[in-house]
Amino acid sequence: MARIAQEAVGPAAQTGIGVVCPFDMALDRELWRWMPEDVSLYFTRTPFVDEPVSLELAEDVSDDGDIRDAARSLGAVGPKVMAYACTSGSFINGVAGARHISKVMEAASGAPGVSTSEALLEALDFLQVSRVVVVTPYVAELTVRLGDFLQEAGHSVVAQAGLGLDGGIWEVPYPTTSELIRAADVPEADAIFVSCTNLPTYDIIAPLERELGKPVLSANQVTAWASLRRLGKSAVGPGQRLLAR
């Protein structure tokens, strides 16, 4: 009698995080790297806008109607948390604007929401740090606006630096970002924040933290961390200070 192959059991149950991101997001895989095995990410994007990365684009990708539609679509697959994965789109209208985005997602999907800029503030509070170096790939106006956001939230921006890019941010190599972080750091800083969910950072965070002796936070890292916290789960990032506490 032929041996009957044992059928596979599964797939394993997954808890979902819905992710609303701008149309030009290219780092889906990076966000996945922070996820434990039992969490899935469900991505959707805001509509295309023919503009460079700028103050105007940040306003466009944070449009209430577009975020509401995206969150409503994601609600069909039952995410337990909704994340708005865009730093500039969530800081462009200040602290109230960042919180408003979460409320829009919550109303449309029925799941609790968090935006990247809210996640940043949560991470700074969690680490009990206040004096921040801001590092971005942005043009100067966007970098300044991020500093304004942090100051509004009660933090001190002790230094800031940007690459001045208005596109192609996902193509920036690790050495370029690492050198910008090193050059921007100052002794009085408690932590460094590397902005933009389209800027790769996963593999440089822990080495730079060891080298500089302080937390290095990134946009995708804090987004993943804050989303998973709402699920009672831990992010995966060996050696990263935010995740070790």
Side-chain angles (χ1 to χ4, degrees), residues 126-142:
F126 178 76
L127 293 171
Q128 297 182 315
V129 296
S130 185
R131 294 170 296 182
V132 184
V133 171
V134 168
V135 174
T136 86
Y138 307 139
V139 295
E141 293 87 351
L142 268 177

Side-chain angles (χ1 to χ4, degrees), residues 140-151:
E141 293 87 351
L142 268 177
T143 301
V144 169
R145 188 68 68 91
L146 173 54
D148 292 344
F149 172 86
L150 286 167
Q151 289 172 340

Side-chain angles (χ1 to χ4, degrees), residues 176-221:
T176 299
T177 304
S178 295
E179 285 306 312
L180 187 67
I181 292 168
R182 292 187 184 102
D185 185 32
V186 292
E188 61 267 32
D190 299 322
I192 298 166
F193 175 60
V194 187
S195 190
C196 192
T197 54
N198 230 0
L199 183 68
T201 58
Y202 187 93
D203 294 301
I204 62 174
I205 293 172
L208 283 169
E209 289 181 323
R210 291 193 297 270
E211 176 185 334
L212 302 175
K214 62 190 66 174
V216 176
L217 306 174
S218 81
N220 279 329
Q221 180 204 45

Side-chain angles (χ1 to χ4, degrees), residues 34 126-127 205-206 209 215 217 221 225 234-245:
W34 275 286
F126 178 76
L127 293 171
I205 293 172
E209 289 181 323
L217 306 174
Q221 180 204 45
W225 171 81
S234 298
V236 179
Q240 297 177 15
R241 291 194 181 194
L242 176 63
L243 314 184
R245 297 184 57 170

